Amino acid sequence: MTTTAIDRHLGFQQAALNARAYRQELLAANIANADTPHYKARDIDFKEALMGALDGKVKPLALNTTSARHIDAGEKSPMSPFVKYRQETQSAVDGNTVDMDIERSAFAENAVQYEASLSFINGLLRSMQQAVSNQ
């Protein structure tokens, strides 16, 4: 498959947007499970995930099945290899490692960066559209 200049320009932003969207899901899951005993907060190293996506290391994962009767586990995210457990900052009696202050600030920061990625893509597409329409 050949890549065009448009693919190269949009590829970085697309990979960043996918990594941000996946991180948002993880942070939302952490917040949703703040009161779940023994839940371990998870996050991704955004830089590592983005570099992996740009290097082509991100591929859809599938479980190996040895029998036709195995239930399909569904498609896992290609960003799953970059998920790590968050470093525990404050011990809870029930073993939960979610710190709501950290999760809320990370969620808000990631949401702003997600919106910024969308703005970059919109600006890039608008510039391309103007370039094409002025010819």
Side-chain angles (χ1 to χ4, degrees), residues 11-20 44-59 77-79 81-82:
F12 176 80
Q13 294 299 334
Q14 179 186 9
L17 203 59
N18 288 339
R20 291 271 174 229
I44 60 170
D45 180 353
F46 179 77
K47 183 178 178 182
E48 180 185 1
L50 182 59
M51 296 308 288
L54 293 174
D55 291 343
K57 294 178 183 172
V58 175
K59 295 182 172 59
S77 170
M79 295 286 175
F82 303 105

mmCIF file with all atom_site columns, all heavy atoms in Angstrom, residues 11-20 44-59 77-79 81-82:
data_model
loop_
_atom_site.group_PDB
_atom_site.id
_atom_site.type_symbol
_atom_site.label_atom_id
_atom_site.label_alt_id
_atom_site.label_comp_id
_atom_site.label_asym_id
_atom_site.label_entity_id
_atom_site.label_seq_id
_atom_site.pdbx_PDB_ins_code
_atom_site.Cartn_x
_atom_site.Cartn_y
_atom_site.Cartn_z
_atom_site.occupancy
_atom_site.B_iso_or_equiv
_atom_site.pdbx_formal_charge
_atom_site.auth_seq_id
_atom_site.auth_comp_id
_atom_site.auth_asym_id
_atom_site.auth_atom_id
_atom_site.pdbx_PDB_model_num
ATOM 1   N N   . GLY A 1 11 ? -1.361 10.983 9.404  1.00 0.00 ? 11 GLY A N   1
ATOM 2   C CA  . GLY A 1 11 ? -1.031 9.780  10.172 1.00 0.00 ? 11 GLY A CA  1
ATOM 3   C C   . GLY A 1 11 ? -0.616 10.065 11.596 1.00 0.00 ? 11 GLY A C   1
ATOM 4   O O   . GLY A 1 11 ? -1.047 9.388  12.532 1.00 0.00 ? 11 GLY A O   1
ATOM 5   N N   . PHE A 1 12 ? 0.216  11.085 11.766 1.00 0.00 ? 12 PHE A N   1
ATOM 6   C CA  . PHE A 1 12 ? 0.666  11.431 13.117 1.00 0.00 ? 12 PHE A CA  1
ATOM 7   C C   . PHE A 1 12 ? -0.514 11.853 13.975 1.00 0.00 ? 12 PHE A C   1
ATOM 8   O O   . PHE A 1 12 ? -0.669 11.381 15.112 1.00 0.00 ? 12 PHE A O   1
ATOM 9   C CB  . PHE A 1 12 ? 1.709  12.550 13.061 1.00 0.00 ? 12 PHE A CB  1
ATOM 10  C CG  . PHE A 1 12 ? 2.134  13.020 14.413 1.00 0.00 ? 12 PHE A CG  1
ATOM 11  C CD1 . PHE A 1 12 ? 3.063  12.313 15.143 1.00 0.00 ? 12 PHE A CD1 1
ATOM 12  C CD2 . PHE A 1 12 ? 1.580  14.164 14.978 1.00 0.00 ? 12 PHE A CD2 1
ATOM 13  C CE1 . PHE A 1 12 ? 3.442  12.725 16.406 1.00 0.00 ? 12 PHE A CE1 1
ATOM 14  C CE2 . PHE A 1 12 ? 1.942  14.594 16.235 1.00 0.00 ? 12 PHE A CE2 1
ATOM 15  C CZ  . PHE A 1 12 ? 2.882  13.868 16.956 1.00 0.00 ? 12 PHE A CZ  1
ATOM 16  N N   . GLN A 1 13 ? -1.341 12.744 13.434 1.00 0.00 ? 13 GLN A N   1
ATOM 17  C CA  . GLN A 1 13 ? -2.483 13.224 14.212 1.00 0.00 ? 13 GLN A CA  1
ATOM 18  C C   . GLN A 1 13 ? -3.487 12.105 14.489 1.00 0.00 ? 13 GLN A C   1
ATOM 19  O O   . GLN A 1 13 ? -4.088 12.045 15.561 1.00 0.00 ? 13 GLN A O   1
ATOM 20  C CB  . GLN A 1 13 ? -3.176 14.392 13.488 1.00 0.00 ? 13 GLN A CB  1
ATOM 21  C CG  . GLN A 1 13 ? -2.321 15.627 13.383 1.00 0.00 ? 13 GLN A CG  1
ATOM 22  C CD  . GLN A 1 13 ? -1.914 16.192 14.736 1.00 0.00 ? 13 GLN A CD  1
ATOM 23  O OE1 . GLN A 1 13 ? -2.590 16.006 15.735 1.00 0.00 ? 13 GLN A OE1 1
ATOM 24  N NE2 . GLN A 1 13 ? -0.788 16.878 14.774 1.00 0.00 ? 13 GLN A NE2 1
ATOM 25  N N   . GLN A 1 14 ? -3.649 11.212 13.524 1.00 0.00 ? 14 GLN A N   1
ATOM 26  C CA  . GLN A 1 14 ? -4.562 10.087 13.723 1.00 0.00 ? 14 GLN A CA  1
ATOM 27  C C   . GLN A 1 14 ? -4.050 9.171  14.837 1.00 0.00 ? 14 GLN A C   1
ATOM 28  O O   . GLN A 1 14 ? -4.821 8.753  15.706 1.00 0.00 ? 14 GLN A O   1
ATOM 29  C CB  . GLN A 1 14 ? -4.709 9.283  12.437 1.00 0.00 ? 14 GLN A CB  1
ATOM 30  C CG  . GLN A 1 14 ? -5.627 8.095  12.589 1.00 0.00 ? 14 GLN A CG  1
ATOM 31  C CD  . GLN A 1 14 ? -5.645 7.219  11.349 1.00 0.00 ? 14 GLN A CD  1
ATOM 32  O OE1 . GLN A 1 14 ? -4.856 7.406  10.427 1.00 0.00 ? 14 GLN A OE1 1
ATOM 33  N NE2 . GLN A 1 14 ? -6.549 6.271  11.337 1.00 0.00 ? 14 GLN A NE2 1
ATOM 34  N N   . ALA A 1 15 ? -2.752 8.890  14.830 1.00 0.00 ? 15 ALA A N   1
ATOM 35  C CA  . ALA A 1 15 ? -2.178 8.037  15.876 1.00 0.00 ? 15 ALA A CA  1
ATOM 36  C C   . ALA A 1 15 ? -2.299 8.713  17.241 1.00 0.00 ? 15 ALA A C   1
ATOM 37  O O   . ALA A 1 15 ? -2.627 8.058  18.242 1.00 0.00 ? 15 ALA A O   1
ATOM 38  C CB  . ALA A 1 15 ? -0.718 7.732  15.554 1.00 0.00 ? 15 ALA A CB  1
ATOM 39  N N   . ALA A 1 16 ? -2.049 10.009 17.284 1.00 0.00 ? 16 ALA A N   1
ATOM 40  C CA  . ALA A 1 16 ? -2.161 10.742 18.554 1.00 0.00 ? 16 ALA A CA  1
ATOM 41  C C   . ALA A 1 16 ? -3.598 10.735 19.047 1.00 0.00 ? 16 ALA A C   1
ATOM 42  O O   . ALA A 1 16 ? -3.854 10.537 20.240 1.00 0.00 ? 16 ALA A O   1
ATOM 43  C CB  . ALA A 1 16 ? -1.660 12.172 18.376 1.00 0.00 ? 16 ALA A CB  1
ATOM 44  N N   . LEU A 1 17 ? -4.531 10.925 18.134 1.00 0.00 ? 17 LEU A N   1
ATOM 45  C CA  . LEU A 1 17 ? -5.943 10.940 18.513 1.00 0.00 ? 17 LEU A CA  1
ATOM 46  C C   . LEU A 1 17 ? -6.388 9.576  19.039 1.00 0.00 ? 17 LEU A C   1
ATOM 47  O O   . LEU A 1 17 ? -7.103 9.487  20.042 1.00 0.00 ? 17 LEU A O   1
ATOM 48  C CB  . LEU A 1 17 ? -6.784 11.350 17.306 1.00 0.00 ? 17 LEU A CB  1
ATOM 49  C CG  . LEU A 1 17 ? -8.154 11.937 17.559 1.00 0.00 ? 17 LEU A CG  1
ATOM 50  C CD1 . LEU A 1 17 ? -8.061 13.191 18.400 1.00 0.00 ? 17 LEU A CD1 1
ATOM 51  C CD2 . LEU A 1 17 ? -8.836 12.240 16.244 1.00 0.00 ? 17 LEU A CD2 1
ATOM 52  N N   . ASN A 1 18 ? -5.938 8.504  18.386 1.00 0.00 ? 18 ASN A N   1
ATOM 53  C CA  . ASN A 1 18 ? -6.284 7.154  18.855 1.00 0.00 ? 18 ASN A CA  1
ATOM 54  C C   . ASN A 1 18 ? -5.703 6.880  20.241 1.00 0.00 ? 18 ASN A C   1
ATOM 55  O O   . ASN A 1 18 ? -6.381 6.296  21.096 1.00 0.00 ? 18 ASN A O   1
ATOM 56  C CB  . ASN A 1 18 ? -5.795 6.105  17.865 1.00 0.00 ? 18 ASN A CB  1
ATOM 57  C CG  . ASN A 1 18 ? -6.601 6.101  16.592 1.00 0.00 ? 18 ASN A CG  1
ATOM 58  O OD1 . ASN A 1 18 ? -7.731 6.575  16.552 1.00 0.00 ? 18 ASN A OD1 1
ATOM 59  N ND2 . ASN A 1 18 ? -6.016 5.569  15.532 1.00 0.00 ? 18 ASN A ND2 1
ATOM 60  N N   . ALA A 1 19 ? -4.468 7.281  20.457 1.00 0.00 ? 19 ALA A N   1
ATOM 61  C CA  . ALA A 1 19 ? -3.844 7.066  21.772 1.00 0.00 ? 19 ALA A CA  1
ATOM 62  C C   . ALA A 1 19 ? -4.552 7.882  22.849 1.00 0.00 ? 19 ALA A C   1
ATOM 63  O O   . ALA A 1 19 ? -4.788 7.394  23.958 1.00 0.00 ? 19 ALA A O   1
ATOM 64  C CB  . ALA A 1 19 ? -2.359 7.420  21.719 1.00 0.00 ? 19 ALA A CB  1
ATOM 65  N N   . ARG A 1 20 ? -4.921 9.117  22.509 1.00 0.00 ? 20 ARG A N   1
ATOM 66  C CA  . ARG A 1 20 ? -5.647 9.960  23.478 1.00 0.00 ? 20 ARG A CA  1
ATOM 67  C C   . ARG A 1 20 ? -7.023 9.370  23.791 1.00 0.00 ? 20 ARG A C   1
ATOM 68  O O   . ARG A 1 20 ? -7.454 9.377  24.943 1.00 0.00 ? 20 ARG A O   1
ATOM 69  C CB  . ARG A 1 20 ? -5.823 11.378 22.935 1.00 0.00 ? 20 ARG A CB  1
ATOM 70  C CG  . ARG A 1 20 ? -4.568 12.152 22.853 1.00 0.00 ? 20 ARG A CG  1
ATOM 71  C CD  . ARG A 1 20 ? -4.300 12.889 24.142 1.00 0.00 ? 20 ARG A CD  1
ATOM 72  N NE  . ARG A 1 20 ? -2.987 13.507 24.055 1.00 0.00 ? 20 ARG A NE  1
ATOM 73  C CZ  . ARG A 1 20 ? -2.054 13.413 24.989 1.00 0.00 ? 20 ARG A CZ  1
ATOM 74  N NH1 . ARG A 1 20 ? -2.290 12.763 26.097 1.00 0.00 ? 20 ARG A NH1 1
ATOM 75  N NH2 . ARG A 1 20 ? -0.900 13.960 24.838 1.00 0.00 ? 20 ARG A NH2 1
ATOM 76  N N   . ILE A 1 44 ? -1.694 4.614  30.238 1.00 0.00 ? 44 ILE A N   1
ATOM 77  C CA  . ILE A 1 44 ? -0.684 4.302  29.232 1.00 0.00 ? 44 ILE A CA  1
ATOM 78  C C   . ILE A 1 44 ? 0.369  5.395  29.252 1.00 0.00 ? 44 ILE A C   1
ATOM 79  O O   . ILE A 1 44 ? 0.098  6.537  29.635 1.00 0.00 ? 44 ILE A O   1
ATOM 80  C CB  . ILE A 1 44 ? -1.277 4.185  27.804 1.00 0.00 ? 44 ILE A CB  1
ATOM 81  C CG1 . ILE A 1 44 ? -1.946 5.486  27.359 1.00 0.00 ? 44 ILE A CG1 1
ATOM 82  C CG2 . ILE A 1 44 ? -2.197 3.013  27.688 1.00 0.00 ? 44 ILE A CG2 1
ATOM 83  C CD1 . ILE A 1 44 ? -2.331 5.494  25.901 1.00 0.00 ? 44 ILE A CD1 1
ATOM 84  N N   . ASP A 1 45 ? 1.567  5.013  28.850 1.00 0.00 ? 45 ASP A N   1
ATOM 85  C CA  . ASP A 1 45 ? 2.622  5.990  28.619 1.00 0.00 ? 45 ASP A CA  1
ATOM 86  C C   . ASP A 1 45 ? 2.358  6.524  27.215 1.00 0.00 ? 45 ASP A C   1
ATOM 87  O O   . ASP A 1 45 ? 2.606  5.838  26.225 1.00 0.00 ? 45 ASP A O   1
ATOM 88  C CB  . ASP A 1 45 ? 3.994  5.325  28.729 1.00 0.00 ? 45 ASP A CB  1
ATOM 89  C CG  . ASP A 1 45 ? 5.131  6.305  28.490 1.00 0.00 ? 45 ASP A CG  1
ATOM 90  O OD1 . ASP A 1 45 ? 4.868  7.457  28.114 1.00 0.00 ? 45 ASP A OD1 1
ATOM 91  O OD2 . ASP A 1 45 ? 6.291  5.898  28.698 1.00 0.00 ? 45 ASP A OD2 1
ATOM 92  N N   . PHE A 1 46 ? 1.817  7.744  27.139 1.00 0.00 ? 46 PHE A N   1
ATOM 93  C CA  . PHE A 1 46 ? 1.370  8.279  25.866 1.00 0.00 ? 46 PHE A CA  1
ATOM 94  C C   . PHE A 1 46 ? 2.500  8.332  24.850 1.00 0.00 ? 46 PHE A C   1
ATOM 95  O O   . PHE A 1 46 ? 2.323  7.963  23.690 1.00 0.00 ? 46 PHE A O   1
ATOM 96  C CB  . PHE A 1 46 ? 0.769  9.678  26.056 1.00 0.00 ? 46 PHE A CB  1
ATOM 97  C CG  . PHE A 1 46 ? 0.320  10.289 24.773 1.00 0.00 ? 46 PHE A CG  1
ATOM 98  C CD1 . PHE A 1 46 ? -0.859 9.891  24.182 1.00 0.00 ? 46 PHE A CD1 1
ATOM 99  C CD2 . PHE A 1 46 ? 1.093  11.243 24.130 1.00 0.00 ? 46 PHE A CD2 1
ATOM 100 C CE1 . PHE A 1 46 ? -1.274 10.429 22.974 1.00 0.00 ? 46 PHE A CE1 1
ATOM 101 C CE2 . PHE A 1 46 ? 0.692  11.792 22.933 1.00 0.00 ? 46 PHE A CE2 1
ATOM 102 C CZ  . PHE A 1 46 ? -0.496 11.380 22.359 1.00 0.00 ? 46 PHE A CZ  1
ATOM 103 N N   . LYS A 1 47 ? 3.661  8.781  25.276 1.00 0.00 ? 47 LYS A N   1
ATOM 104 C CA  . LYS A 1 47 ? 4.797  8.910  24.351 1.00 0.00 ? 47 LYS A CA  1
ATOM 105 C C   . LYS A 1 47 ? 5.172  7.543  23.777 1.00 0.00 ? 47 LYS A C   1
ATOM 106 O O   . LYS A 1 47 ? 5.377  7.401  22.569 1.00 0.00 ? 47 LYS A O   1
ATOM 107 C CB  . LYS A 1 47 ? 5.988  9.532  25.086 1.00 0.00 ? 47 LYS A CB  1
ATOM 108 C CG  . LYS A 1 47 ? 7.183  9.765  24.216 1.00 0.00 ? 47 LYS A CG  1
ATOM 109 C CD  . LYS A 1 47 ? 8.296  10.432 25.001 1.00 0.00 ? 47 LYS A CD  1
ATOM 110 C CE  . LYS A 1 47 ? 9.517  10.633 24.136 1.00 0.00 ? 47 LYS A CE  1
ATOM 111 N NZ  . LYS A 1 47 ? 10.633 11.232 24.886 1.00 0.00 ? 47 LYS A NZ  1
ATOM 112 N N   . GLU A 1 48 ? 5.239  6.539  24.647 1.00 0.00 ? 48 GLU A N   1
ATOM 113 C CA  . GLU A 1 48 ? 5.593  5.190  24.193 1.00 0.00 ? 48 GLU A CA  1
ATOM 114 C C   . GLU A 1 48 ? 4.522  4.643  23.247 1.00 0.00 ? 48 GLU A C   1
ATOM 115 O O   . GLU A 1 48 ? 4.839  4.035  22.214 1.00 0.00 ? 48 GLU A O   1
ATOM 116 C CB  . GLU A 1 48 ? 5.736  4.275  25.406 1.00 0.00 ? 48 GLU A CB  1
ATOM 117 C CG  . GLU A 1 48 ? 6.108  2.860  25.080 1.00 0.00 ? 48 GLU A CG  1
ATOM 118 C CD  . GLU A 1 48 ? 6.121  1.968  26.318 1.00 0.00 ? 48 GLU A CD  1
ATOM 119 O OE1 . GLU A 1 48 ? 5.812  2.453  27.433 1.00 0.00 ? 48 GLU A OE1 1
ATOM 120 O OE2 . GLU A 1 48 ? 6.434  0.786  26.163 1.00 0.00 ? 48 GLU A OE2 1
ATOM 121 N N   . ALA A 1 49 ? 3.243  4.879  23.577 1.00 0.00 ? 49 ALA A N   1
ATOM 122 C CA  . ALA A 1 49 ? 2.152  4.393  22.729 1.00 0.00 ? 49 ALA A CA  1
ATOM 123 C C   . ALA A 1 49 ? 2.157  5.078  21.373 1.00 0.00 ? 49 ALA A C   1
ATOM 124 O O   . ALA A 1 49 ? 1.961  4.433  20.330 1.00 0.00 ? 49 ALA A O   1
ATOM 125 C CB  . ALA A 1 49 ? 0.811  4.616  23.428 1.00 0.00 ? 49 ALA A CB  1
ATOM 126 N N   . LEU A 1 50 ? 2.417  6.383  21.363 1.00 0.00 ? 50 LEU A N   1
ATOM 127 C CA  . LEU A 1 50 ? 2.450  7.109  20.099 1.00 0.00 ? 50 LEU A CA  1
ATOM 128 C C   . LEU A 1 50 ? 3.620  6.658  19.239 1.00 0.00 ? 50 LEU A C   1
ATOM 129 O O   . LEU A 1 50 ? 3.466  6.447  18.027 1.00 0.00 ? 50 LEU A O   1
ATOM 130 C CB  . LEU A 1 50 ? 2.527  8.619  20.358 1.00 0.00 ? 50 LEU A CB  1
ATOM 131 C CG  . LEU A 1 50 ? 2.522  9.518  19.131 1.00 0.00 ? 50 LEU A CG  1
ATOM 132 C CD1 . LEU A 1 50 ? 1.251  9.303  18.312 1.00 0.00 ? 50 LEU A CD1 1
ATOM 133 C CD2 . LEU A 1 50 ? 2.646  10.971 19.546 1.00 0.00 ? 50 LEU A CD2 1
ATOM 134 N N   . MET A 1 51 ? 4.784  6.491  19.848 1.00 0.00 ? 51 MET A N   1
ATOM 135 C CA  . MET A 1 51 ? 5.948  6.020  19.088 1.00 0.00 ? 51 MET A CA  1
ATOM 136 C C   . MET A 1 51 ? 5.701  4.620  18.548 1.00 0.00 ? 51 MET A C   1
ATOM 137 O O   . MET A 1 51 ? 6.082  4.302  17.421 1.00 0.00 ? 51 MET A O   1
ATOM 138 C CB  . MET A 1 51 ? 7.211  6.046  19.964 1.00 0.00 ? 51 MET A CB  1
ATOM 139 C CG  . MET A 1 51 ? 7.618  7.444  20.403 1.00 0.00 ? 51 MET A CG  1
ATOM 140 S SD  . MET A 1 51 ? 7.774  8.638  19.068 1.00 0.00 ? 51 MET A SD  1
ATOM 141 C CE  . MET A 1 51 ? 9.251  8.084  18.287 1.00 0.00 ? 51 MET A CE  1
ATOM 142 N N   . GLY A 1 52 ? 5.059  3.774  19.349 1.00 0.00 ? 52 GLY A N   1
ATOM 143 C CA  . GLY A 1 52 ? 4.731  2.420  18.887 1.00 0.00 ? 52 GLY A CA  1
ATOM 144 C C   . GLY A 1 52 ? 3.771  2.448  17.714 1.00 0.00 ? 52 GLY A C   1
ATOM 145 O O   . GLY A 1 52 ? 3.919  1.688  16.751 1.00 0.00 ? 52 GLY A O   1
ATOM 146 N N   . ALA A 1 53 ? 2.796  3.359  17.777 1.00 0.00 ? 53 ALA A N   1
ATOM 147 C CA  . ALA A 1 53 ? 1.826  3.467  16.676 1.00 0.00 ? 53 ALA A CA  1
ATOM 148 C C   . ALA A 1 53 ? 2.504  3.981  15.414 1.00 0.00 ? 53 ALA A C   1
ATOM 149 O O   . ALA A 1 53 ? 2.227  3.511  14.312 1.00 0.00 ? 53 ALA A O   1
ATOM 150 C CB  . ALA A 1 53 ? 0.683  4.387  17.086 1.00 0.00 ? 53 ALA A CB  1
ATOM 151 N N   . LEU A 1 54 ? 3.386  4.939  15.561 1.00 0.00 ? 54 LEU A N   1
ATOM 152 C CA  . LEU A 1 54 ? 4.057  5.501  14.389 1.00 0.00 ? 54 LEU A CA  1
ATOM 153 C C   . LEU A 1 54 ? 5.067  4.532  13.795 1.00 0.00 ? 54 LEU A C   1
ATOM 154 O O   . LEU A 1 54 ? 5.320  4.552  12.591 1.00 0.00 ? 54 LEU A O   1
ATOM 155 C CB  . LEU A 1 54 ? 4.750  6.821  14.757 1.00 0.00 ? 54 LEU A CB  1
ATOM 156 C CG  . LEU A 1 54 ? 3.806  7.960  15.131 1.00 0.00 ? 54 LEU A CG  1
ATOM 157 C CD1 . LEU A 1 54 ? 4.587  9.171  15.609 1.00 0.00 ? 54 LEU A CD1 1
ATOM 158 C CD2 . LEU A 1 54 ? 2.909  8.327  13.959 1.00 0.00 ? 54 LEU A CD2 1
ATOM 159 N N   . ASP A 1 55 ? 5.650  3.676  14.629 1.00 0.00 ? 55 ASP A N   1
ATOM 160 C CA  . ASP A 1 55 ? 6.608  2.676  14.149 1.00 0.00 ? 55 ASP A CA  1
ATOM 161 C C   . ASP A 1 55 ? 5.921  1.434  13.600 1.00 0.00 ? 55 ASP A C   1
ATOM 162 O O   . ASP A 1 55 ? 6.589  0.498  13.171 1.00 0.00 ? 55 ASP A O   1
ATOM 163 C CB  . ASP A 1 55 ? 7.572  2.267  15.268 1.00 0.00 ? 55 ASP A CB  1
ATOM 164 C CG  . ASP A 1 55 ? 8.518  3.383  15.658 1.00 0.00 ? 55 ASP A CG  1
ATOM 165 O OD1 . ASP A 1 55 ? 8.656  4.345  14.873 1.00 0.00 ? 55 ASP A OD1 1
ATOM 166 O OD2 . ASP A 1 55 ? 9.116  3.300  16.751 1.00 0.00 ? 55 ASP A OD2 1
ATOM 167 N N   . GLY A 1 56 ? 4.608  1.384  13.677 1.00 0.00 ? 56 GLY A N   1
ATOM 168 C CA  . GLY A 1 56 ? 3.876  0.224  13.168 1.00 0.00 ? 56 GLY A CA  1
ATOM 169 C C   . GLY A 1 56 ? 3.869  -0.948 14.122 1.00 0.00 ? 56 GLY A C   1
ATOM 170 O O   . GLY A 1 56 ? 3.574  -2.071 13.737 1.00 0.00 ? 56 GLY A O   1
ATOM 171 N N   . LYS A 1 57 ? 4.204  -0.702 15.392 1.00 0.00 ? 57 LYS A N   1
ATOM 172 C CA  . LYS A 1 57 ? 4.208  -1.781 16.372 1.00 0.00 ? 57 LYS A CA  1
ATOM 173 C C   . LYS A 1 57 ? 2.819  -2.069 16.915 1.00 0.00 ? 57 LYS A C   1
ATOM 174 O O   . LYS A 1 57 ? 2.622  -3.032 17.639 1.00 0.00 ? 57 LYS A O   1
ATOM 175 C CB  . LYS A 1 57 ? 5.138  -1.430 17.543 1.00 0.00 ? 57 LYS A CB  1
ATOM 176 C CG  . LYS A 1 57 ? 6.584  -1.347 17.142 1.00 0.00 ? 57 LYS A CG  1
ATOM 177 C CD  . LYS A 1 57 ? 7.439  -0.943 18.321 1.00 0.00 ? 57 LYS A CD  1
ATOM 178 C CE  . LYS A 1 57 ? 8.884  -0.785 17.896 1.00 0.00 ? 57 LYS A CE  1
ATOM 179 N NZ  . LYS A 1 57 ? 9.708  -0.206 18.952 1.00 0.00 ? 57 LYS A NZ  1
ATOM 180 N N   . VAL A 1 58 ? 1.871  -1.222 16.595 1.00 0.00 ? 58 VAL A N   1
ATOM 181 C CA  . VAL A 1 58 ? 0.507  -1.388 17.084 1.00 0.00 ? 58 VAL A CA  1
ATOM 182 C C   . VAL A 1 58 ? -0.275 -2.187 16.060 1.00 0.00 ? 58 VAL A C   1
ATOM 183 O O   . VAL A 1 58 ? -0.475 -1.761 14.938 1.00 0.00 ? 58 VAL A O   1
ATOM 184 C CB  . VAL A 1 58 ? -0.150 -0.018 17.319 1.00 0.00 ? 58 VAL A CB  1
ATOM 185 C CG1 . VAL A 1 58 ? -1.594 -0.176 17.717 1.00 0.00 ? 58 VAL A CG1 1
ATOM 186 C CG2 . VAL A 1 58 ? 0.618  0.761  18.364 1.00 0.00 ? 58 VAL A CG2 1
ATOM 187 N N   . LYS A 1 59 ? -0.670 -3.361 16.463 1.00 0.00 ? 59 LYS A N   1
ATOM 188 C CA  . LYS A 1 59 ? -1.465 -4.223 15.606 1.00 0.00 ? 59 LYS A CA  1
ATOM 189 C C   . LYS A 1 59 ? -2.624 -4.774 16.427 1.00 0.00 ? 59 LYS A C   1
ATOM 190 O O   . LYS A 1 59 ? -2.509 -4.932 17.636 1.00 0.00 ? 59 LYS A O   1
ATOM 191 C CB  . LYS A 1 59 ? -0.613 -5.379 15.076 1.00 0.00 ? 59 LYS A CB  1
ATOM 192 C CG  . LYS A 1 59 ? 0.512  -4.926 14.169 1.00 0.00 ? 59 LYS A CG  1
ATOM 193 C CD  . LYS A 1 59 ? 1.277  -6.112 13.643 1.00 0.00 ? 59 LYS A CD  1
ATOM 194 C CE  . LYS A 1 59 ? 2.273  -5.728 12.607 1.00 0.00 ? 59 LYS A CE  1
ATOM 195 N NZ  . LYS A 1 59 ? 3.274  -4.801 12.948 1.00 0.00 ? 59 LYS A NZ  1
ATOM 196 N N   . SER A 1 77 ? -7.962 -3.563 22.193 1.00 0.00 ? 77 SER A N   1
ATOM 197 C CA  . SER A 1 77 ? -7.384 -2.368 21.595 1.00 0.00 ? 77 SER A CA  1
ATOM 198 C C   . SER A 1 77 ? -5.947 -2.635 21.186 1.00 0.00 ? 77 SER A C   1
ATOM 199 O O   . SER A 1 77 ? -5.193 -3.300 21.909 1.00 0.00 ? 77 SER A O   1
ATOM 200 C CB  . SER A 1 77 ? -7.421 -1.219 22.593 1.00 0.00 ? 77 SER A CB  1
ATOM 201 O OG  . SER A 1 77 ? -6.673 -0.138 22.109 1.00 0.00 ? 77 SER A OG  1
ATOM 202 N N   . PRO A 1 78 ? -5.516 -2.080 20.065 1.00 0.00 ? 78 PRO A N   1
ATOM 203 C CA  . PRO A 1 78 ? -4.106 -2.230 19.682 1.00 0.00 ? 78 PRO A CA  1
ATOM 204 C C   . PRO A 1 78 ? -3.176 -1.480 20.632 1.00 0.00 ? 78 PRO A C   1
ATOM 205 O O   . PRO A 1 78 ? -1.977 -1.723 20.638 1.00 0.00 ? 78 PRO A O   1
ATOM 206 C CB  . PRO A 1 78 ? -4.057 -1.629 18.273 1.00 0.00 ? 78 PRO A CB  1
ATOM 207 C CG  . PRO A 1 78 ? -5.350 -0.976 18.027 1.00 0.00 ? 78 PRO A CG  1
ATOM 208 C CD  . PRO A 1 78 ? -6.319 -1.438 19.050 1.00 0.00 ? 78 PRO A CD  1
ATOM 209 N N   . MET A 1 79 ? -3.725 -0.615 21.458 1.00 0.00 ? 79 MET A N   1
ATOM 210 C CA  . MET A 1 79 ? -2.910 0.114  22.430 1.00 0.00 ? 79 MET A CA  1
ATOM 211 C C   . MET A 1 79 ? -2.727 -0.683 23.720 1.00 0.00 ? 79 MET A C   1
ATOM 212 O O   . MET A 1 79 ? -2.006 -0.234 24.614 1.00 0.00 ? 79 MET A O   1
ATOM 213 C CB  . MET A 1 79 ? -3.563 1.462  22.760 1.00 0.00 ? 79 MET A CB  1
ATOM 214 C CG  . MET A 1 79 ? -3.637 2.413  21.610 1.00 0.00 ? 79 MET A CG  1
ATOM 215 S SD  . MET A 1 79 ? -2.024 3.091  21.279 1.00 0.00 ? 79 MET A SD  1
ATOM 216 C CE  . MET A 1 79 ? -2.351 4.033  19.822 1.00 0.00 ? 79 MET A CE  1
ATOM 217 N N   . PRO A 1 81 ? -0.923 -3.210 24.610 1.00 0.00 ? 81 PRO A N   1
ATOM 218 C CA  . PRO A 1 81 ? 0.434  -3.524 25.109 1.00 0.00 ? 81 PRO A CA  1
ATOM 219 C C   . PRO A 1 81 ? 1.092  -2.383 25.873 1.00 0.00 ? 81 PRO A C   1
ATOM 220 O O   . PRO A 1 81 ? 2.076  -2.603 26.574 1.00 0.00 ? 81 PRO A O   1
ATOM 221 C CB  . PRO A 1 81 ? 1.220  -3.826 23.828 1.00 0.00 ? 81 PRO A CB  1
ATOM 222 C CG  . PRO A 1 81 ? 0.209  -4.168 22.814 1.00 0.00 ? 81 PRO A CG  1
ATOM 223 C CD  . PRO A 1 81 ? -1.024 -3.402 23.175 1.00 0.00 ? 81 PRO A CD  1
ATOM 224 N N   . PHE A 1 82 ? 0.568  -1.187 25.751 1.00 0.00 ? 82 PHE A N   1
ATOM 225 C CA  . PHE A 1 82 ? 1.188  -0.040 26.404 1.00 0.00 ? 82 PHE A CA  1
ATOM 226 C C   . PHE A 1 82 ? 0.528  0.316  27.731 1.00 0.00 ? 82 PHE A C   1
ATOM 227 O O   . PHE A 1 82 ? 0.893  1.305  28.361 1.00 0.00 ? 82 PHE A O   1
ATOM 228 C CB  . PHE A 1 82 ? 1.144  1.175  25.467 1.00 0.00 ? 82 PHE A CB  1
ATOM 229 C CG  . PHE A 1 82 ? 1.806  0.903  24.148 1.00 0.00 ? 82 PHE A CG  1
ATOM 230 C CD1 . PHE A 1 82 ? 1.043  0.702  23.004 1.00 0.00 ? 82 PHE A CD1 1
ATOM 231 C CD2 . PHE A 1 82 ? 3.179  0.799  24.049 1.00 0.00 ? 82 PHE A CD2 1
ATOM 232 C CE1 . PHE A 1 82 ? 1.638  0.433  21.789 1.00 0.00 ? 82 PHE A CE1 1
ATOM 233 C CE2 . PHE A 1 82 ? 3.790  0.523  22.848 1.00 0.00 ? 82 PHE A CE2 1
ATOM 234 C CZ  . PHE A 1 82 ? 3.021  0.338  21.711 1.00 0.00 ? 82 PHE A CZ  1
#
